[in-house]
Amino acid sequence: MNILELSEQEIGRRQSLQALRDMGINPYPADEFPVNAWSDDIKAKFNENEKREVVVAGRLMGKRIMGKASFAELQDSKGRIQLYISRDDLCPGEDKDLYNKVFKKLLDIGDIVGVKGYVFRTQMGEISVHVEDIKLLSKSLKPLPIVKYKDGVAYDKFDDPEQRARQRYVDLIVNDGVKDTFLKRAVVLRTMRKFFDDRGYTEVETPILQNIPGGASAKPFITHFNALNIDMYMRIATELYLKRLIVGGFEGVYEIGKNFRNEGMDRFHNPEFTCLELYVSYKDYNWMMTFTEQLLETICTAVNGKPEVEYPDGKVISFKAPFRRLPILDAIKEKTGFDLDGKSEDEIRDIAVNKLKMEGIDETFGKGKLIDEIFGEFCEGTFIQPTFITDYPVEMSPLTKMHRSKPGLTERFELMVNGKELANAYSELNDPIDQEQRFVDQMKLADKGDDEAMIIDHDFLRALQYGMPPTSGIGIGIDRLVMLMTAKENIQEIMLFPQLKPEVKIPQSSIKEWAAIGVPENWAYVLRKAGFNLVADIRDQKAQGLQQKIGEINKKYKLGYDKPSLDEIDSWIKASTATVE
């Protein structure tokens, strides 16, 4: 990288880096630094009557130089602690360079350091570490966007949502509370695993690359398997593999892993997402509703200390069991006034288009998708408190057992919370003949143009023919669950690295393009530094003015380049004009 591609602060930090090396200090040492205390531990265990020696490490987040003594703020994995550095305590001998040069001049905000010292309370009452030795562990070459306040106004805040998600490492360093969200995510997963493990269910792993994208209605990502010379699919669900294991004799199996759906992105959806699927033999969807209530109440209490989540706007969502249970057709009737029970596909389409005035409905929509669209537009967003929507029509549920007492319906529920689906569960279909016909019906929808319809999985049908016990299964979106448990309204807030659009970069002419108009490589970087990113940018310049601009940069950065003549610069300008024309 050419030095002129760096900012002023980055150049200064690299100069400090070289100065440290010139002093014999390795800015990236390899040896272990034996940390024995953390910021929160130091504060919690402080004892006025005990001189506690500590070794701590972390990132410098502030320095206040005060002559022969200074204060600094160190941020470790647990929080922040103040450091007190006295020149004569740090450097008891005649050599004061560690304080005067290294600490005061060559260490920057963001550098990672290790310190040894003892804990004390300052005259202002702040628990601090009196530093007796300090060691640079990693030099930071990019400046952090540290928030500054003046007259109550914050400056340099790192709060742009896209930048925070793109540079999560910076977000975690400078924004309070971000790390806590992801620690809560870990609590969700840890609690969920313990809940299942304590009941004897087995965590398993199933293929991510699959021959057939099965187990859900969704558009898959396609990749190519070079060794076999076949196209394969990133899994959209784990369902069909997990049910094979129930056939094989597992009583209960679960998987927490990534699924991939080649669909849209918004504040509730990411194409790559984490999902939990659980299957338990000899159970039905009624048992699963009760089980789910217990699971979510347990998770919420583990995360928040109580079975409720409080939102910044004052809204409270309670996961205290039991939850409301409401059949889907009753929900639609309740919210729209139309009873779809017993209606044909054409009748439902007429209601959707002509009475409910829905847009985007066409002939490719089967009965199930029509009901799903109506529910999604008029009902889903209205259920804030946890509500089980039950008894879906068979057309919406190709993997679900027929309802034992309601013809045309299935034993399925979706859990709605805060206006969005959180979980989807069935009494699983285990009749192989019925299942095959459901797959055939799905393929008919695909022939009509539904690119989310399921493909027939013949191996899964073969597995069912060996006999699968009565089983209940559930899928829970982990990302959405974490959003609910942490009161976040955007999925990017709870995913460490969400999918983003490619980063937009400032267009620049290549060094080769500059060379084509006669500009040497070293002066091409100088021109860029002067703000001329494209060859075309210099076409309206005067040779003398351009010479002055690049000369100032040559002088400022002590580059020592031989100044180009006015004739040379004039030839660059003329060539750039010809290139544009």
Side-chain angles (χ1 to χ4, degrees), residues 498-567:
Q499 188 64 45
L500 299 167
K501 296 178 181 178
E503 191 169 3
V504 177
K505 295 184 178 180
I506 298 174
Q508 285 187 333
S509 294
S510 67
I511 299 301
K512 185 177 180 180
E513 289 172 316
W514 284 108
I517 65 166
V519 179
E521 180 176 338
N522 56 344
W523 285 107
Y525 287 111
V526 174
L527 284 165
R528 284 181 179 175
K529 193 68 174 177
F532 303 104
N533 290 302
L534 301 173
V535 167
D537 291 343
I538 69 169
R539 69 177 185 268
D540 295 326
Q541 296 294 307
K542 302 296 183 183
Q544 188 171 357
L546 188 55
Q547 185 188 55
Q548 182 178 349
K549 289 177 182 179
I550 62 177
E552 289 172 353
I553 292 173
N554 188 26
K555 181 180 179 181
K556 179 179 179 179
Y557 293 100
K558 302 176 182 178
L559 301 174
Y561 298 159
D562 293 333
K563 185 169 64 173
S565 67
L566 288 175
D567 288 342

